[in-house]
Every structure is written in C-alpha cells, then in structure tokens.
Amino acid sequence: MAIDIHILLAEALLELCDQKSVTSITIKDLLEETGVSRQTFYNRFRDKNDLIQWTYEHKVLNIFLNNNPENTYYKNTLSYYKNIDAHRNFLKQACSSREQNCLMDFIVKFAIDYDLKWHQQHYGNKSLPKELIFASKYHSVASINAAIEWICSDNPEPAKVMAKRITNLRKISLSDVLFGPDNKIYSCEDSDNEK
C-alpha cells in the first residue's frame, strides 16, 4: 500500500501542534517528523499555510467532501462541529494566524463557494436569483464566524447544540428565499413584481 504524503504531513502537523504553536512549526520540523524530502513537500504544497488548509479541508470538512446524499444538513453540520472539536487545538492556533494565505480566509471562501455550488446543484440549469446568492453568502459568513468563535472559546457549547442552532437559523431565515407559498423556489425579485 502506497503512503499518502498529504495525510502523512497533515498527521505530522497535528502532532506537532500538541508540542508547539502552529506559527513556530517550520517546514524543516515537518520534514524531520515525517522523513519526507523538501522537494516532495513542495511538489504537494505551496507552503505551510497550504498544508494547514489541506488539513482543515480533509480532517474537518471530510463529510462535506464526501457529500453523502443521505446526510441531512444537520448531520453534515454536526459532523463538522465534532471534527472541529477533535482538532480544536490545531484549529484554535491556525485561526489566530492572519498571515497571507491564512486559514481564516480559506474557511470563509470555502464556505461561500460550497454553499453557492450546493444551491446551484439543487436549483437546476437556471441562474441563481440575486436574493438567494446574497442569502447564501450572508449565511455562509455568519455560520463560519459562529464556528470560529466556537473554535476559539475556552468553554464551548456541545457540538450538538451548535449544529442544531446553525441548522434552525438557516432553515428559518432561508425559507422565504428558497420556498414560496407553493413550495417552489423563487426570489424576492418575483415577489417585488406582485402588488
């Protein structure tokens, strides 16, 4: 069985985060920990922040990437918060860094892109209404800010509580954008034409 260098480096990063701060971990530290050559590292990642982003994407967001159609929004959100909890030390450190190519910027962009793609898949071939795009971006940013606050908290609510809150808020606030009285997707532009 071949060794997955991405996973090897991500696991080393997570282990090193238990020994020292993520900002003080160097590429040299990662190479010494894994035995991977510098060239091999740079064949896969631009820099340490790229590895941090990959680790977040594959250790925390893995359920979203697998996109199991049987999972509800709540199940996906609960899994996300449980994965955050499992990697809280790493995420808390990584979210405190505001360097170029940082995790915080990646998380926000990923969430917005993911939500817009999800809506487009469920909306069909038509262009997304402006109100749906706005609501999706708004809720993506709000959800991520809630998650980051939760990550950085010293005494966080249980993952289940956060998943329920986020799911209920999205359900309540997006219902008017997503569903009209006949349960068809519509935009506020459609309702603006009604007198």
Side-chain angles (χ1 to χ4, degrees), residues 33-51:
E33 185 77 16
T34 61
V36 170
S37 73
R38 186 168 292 279
Q39 184 62 47
T40 299
F41 178 91
Y42 285 108
N43 283 343
R44 286 159 179 81
F45 299 105
R46 290 183 308 270
D47 54 22
K48 181 177 72 174
N49 285 335
D50 195 29
L51 171 60

Side-chain angles (χ1 to χ4, degrees), residues 13 22-27 30 41-42 44-57 90 93-107:
L13 175 65
V22 73
T23 55
S24 65
I25 295 171
T26 64
I27 301 299
L30 290 162
F41 178 91
Y42 285 108
R44 286 159 179 81
F45 299 105
R46 290 183 308 270
D47 54 22
K48 181 177 72 174
N49 285 335
D50 195 29
L51 171 60
I52 288 170
Q53 293 170 8
W54 189 94
T55 304
Y56 170 79
E57 192 173 352
F90 158 69
Q93 292 179 51
C95 284
S96 67
S97 173
R98 296 299 296 159
E99 304 172 347
Q100 181 180 352
N101 192 29
C102 70
L103 182 61
M104 294 272 288
D105 294 342
F106 176 81
I107 290 173

Side-chain angles (χ1 to χ4, degrees), residues 7 11 23 32 36-37 42 51 54 57 61 64 66 80-81 89 103 106-107 114 134 137 141 144 147 153 170 187 193:
I7 292 173
E11 292 293 336
T23 55
E32 287 175 359
V36 170
S37 73
Y42 285 108
L51 171 60
W54 189 94
E57 192 173 352
L61 293 175
F64 287 102
N66 293 334
Y80 174 69
Y81 275 93
N89 182 44
L103 182 61
F106 176 81
I107 290 173
Y114 179 86
F134 176 82
K137 288 179 178 180
V141 171
I144 290 305
S153 173
R170 280 198 168 212
S187 74
N193 296 330

Side-chain angles (χ1 to χ4, degrees), residues 66-124:
N66 293 334
N67 217 5
N68 183 346
E70 293 177 18
N71 285 349
T72 62
Y73 182 84
Y74 170 76
K75 284 183 182 178
N76 283 344
T77 304
L78 179 59
S79 172
Y80 174 69
Y81 275 93
K82 284 181 175 180
N83 287 343
I84 287 174
D85 220 14
H87 303 292
R88 181 176 297 278
N89 182 44
F90 158 69
L91 290 169
K92 196 171 190 175
Q93 292 179 51
C95 284
S96 67
S97 173
R98 296 299 296 159
E99 304 172 347
Q100 181 180 352
N101 192 29
C102 70
L103 182 61
M104 294 272 288
D105 294 342
F106 176 81
I107 290 173
V108 171
K109 184 178 179 341
F110 186 96
I112 290 170
D113 290 348
Y114 179 86
D115 279 2
L116 289 174
K117 285 177 192 170
W118 186 89
H119 285 300
Q120 191 63 62
Q121 286 174 345
H122 292 84
Y123 204 76

